[in-house]
Amino acid sequence: MSYTDKMLRDDALKGKVIVVTGGGSGLGKAMTKYFLELGAQVAITSRDLEKLKTTAAELEAETGGKCLPLQCDVRHYEEVENMLQQVLKSFGKVDVLLNNAAGNFISPTERLSANAFDTVIDIVLKGTKNCTLAFGKHWIDSKQSATILNIVTTYAWTGSAYVVPSATAKAGVLAMTRSLAVEWAKYGIRSNAIAPGPFPTKGAWDRLLPGDLAEKFDMAKKVPLKRVGDHQELANLAAYLVSDFSAYVNGDVITIDGGEWLKGAGQFNLLEAIPEELWDQLEMMIKAKKNK
């Protein structure tokens, strides 16, 4: 038995309909794949419909499950409402909302424009609010029990230098998670969160730590277990928290980081060692990647 093995029995999510925001790649894709393997029907959303279609086709071929790609910019409430209606039209119901869509910049805060700061807040906090409110209203009106799972981060409660917009937004999501766990429990709606440590994904981590920076600031060195997370480990935890096996878990945030935050708060505080001239180079590298 290994930490890369699948945890739950094959039918653990049979009959459930799950919506995963930011489901086209990275951790969202990994969680979606496992949900499909466990018998769920899954709708994945993001702004990039072509990527979603490619991911959905790939996952359906691998799992034999049903994966519905839906374009949606979570920053806009009307798009979220439209996405929800499309899910209901296709699947007849929705049981689980997994708020995974995120955005981030690694930068000294004084280098950020107000718009850059707003972009992260709008995707992470406002986007999570939009989805939670739209889905919550539907569930309450239809008297349906349901589950909300939010992906936060360990620096949601410690804060972290160089990712201040993300830390600010994730802290808000964590507060929302705990608040609604109490307020909406009477409707049969559970709210929980996962706070992952380093789970590198090709796209996101290349943008955050471009060039040889990922090697220079090796995240595994900060983790007491001396390794980064495996995507299946996160998928196992997420599947448990959206399954009926976790029916008595409500209002909690589960940390899965190998002990990283206990060793040193603020995942990106170590970037204090980057000199000013290197930040100039990093900005140019990130802009070059975006323009490709």
Side-chain angles (χ1 to χ4, degrees):
M1 189 68 70
S2 166
Y3 61 80
T4 61
D5 290 341
K6 296 161 188 175
M7 184 174 76
L8 298 182
R9 67 191 194 195
D10 290 345
D11 62 349
L13 297 178
K14 187 175 181 179
K16 288 194 181 294
V17 175
I18 301 173
V19 172
V20 179
T21 68
S25 60
L27 297 178
K29 180 179 177 181
M31 290 184 284
T32 296
K33 181 180 179 181
Y34 193 38
F35 296 161
L36 291 167
E37 291 172 338
L38 295 173
Q41 295 176 302
V42 185
I44 55 175
T45 80
S46 76
R47 288 174 289 173
D48 189 340
L49 183 57
E50 290 309 308
K51 180 188 283 187
L52 289 172
K53 287 179 177 178
T54 300
T55 296
E58 177 188 328
L59 294 182
E60 285 187 341
E62 290 178 357
T63 67
K66 176 61 178 174
C67 186
L68 177 67
L70 294 174
Q71 188 174 35
C72 177
D73 187 337
V74 295
R75 296 175 294 181
H76 304 296
Y77 190 76
E78 65 278 4
E79 290 194 30
V80 172
E81 285 190 310
N82 182 57
M83 176 266 288
L84 171 58
Q85 291 307 313
Q86 290 183 71
V87 175
L88 295 174
K89 183 178 179 180
S90 297
F91 294 136
K93 63 166 185 168
V94 58
D95 302 288
V96 176
L97 168 64
L98 199 171
N99 285 305
N100 172 69
N104 203 356
F105 297 105
I106 289 186
S107 173
T109 307
E110 68 274 13
R111 285 175 171 256
L112 292 174
S113 66
N115 184 61
F117 206 115
D118 286 347
T119 296
V120 176
I121 297 289
D122 287 350
I123 296 171
V124 177
L125 182 54
K126 186 178 175 182
T128 299
K129 176 271 295 180
N130 285 341
C131 292
T132 300
L133 198 58
F135 281 62
K137 286 175 179 287
H138 164 72
W139 288 325
I140 292 167
D141 289 345
S142 58
K143 295 180 169 57
Q144 181 192 341
S145 297
T147 301
I148 300 167
L149 180 60
N150 297 321
I151 304 300
V152 292
T153 174
T154 54
Y155 56 75
W157 58 85
T158 66
S160 178
Y162 305 104
V163 284
V164 171
S166 174
T168 303
K170 292 291 191 181
V173 172
L174 182 55
M176 191 189 329
T177 303
R178 289 169 167 160
S179 301
L180 290 178
V182 176
E183 184 178 342
W184 284 359
K186 61 180 177 284
Y187 301 119
I189 300 173
R190 293 189 299 122
S191 297
N192 291 295
I194 296 175
F199 281 82
T201 59
K202 181 67 177 168
W205 283 71
D206 279 356
R207 288 192 298 273
L208 287 173
L209 297 171
D212 62 355
L213 198 61
E215 179 65 30
K216 186 174 182 180
F217 293 94
D218 184 356
M219 287 293 176
K221 294 175 182 175
K222 283 190 66 193
V223 179
L225 292 180
K226 299 303 178 189
R227 68 174 177 87
V228 295
D230 183 87
H231 288 195
Q232 186 63 44
E233 292 179 278
L234 183 65
N236 283 338
L237 178 57
Y240 167 70
L241 289 173
V242 303
S243 76
D244 294 337
F245 292 117
S246 64
Y248 203 50
V249 181
N250 185 39
D252 209 349
V253 53
I254 311 296
T255 303
I256 179 167
D257 74 341
E260 180 202 29
W261 88 269
L262 293 170
K263 183 178 179 181
Q267 192 170 48
F268 293 97
N269 286 347
L270 77 167
L271 298 183
E272 184 74 29
I274 293 181
E276 193 72 18
E277 58 271 17
L278 184 53
W279 283 115
D280 294 331
Q281 295 175 34
L282 290 174
E283 282 186 13
M284 287 188 287
M285 290 169 66
I286 291 169
K287 287 176 181 176
K289 277 180 174 287
K290 284 184 177 179
N291 293 331
K292 281 183 179 179

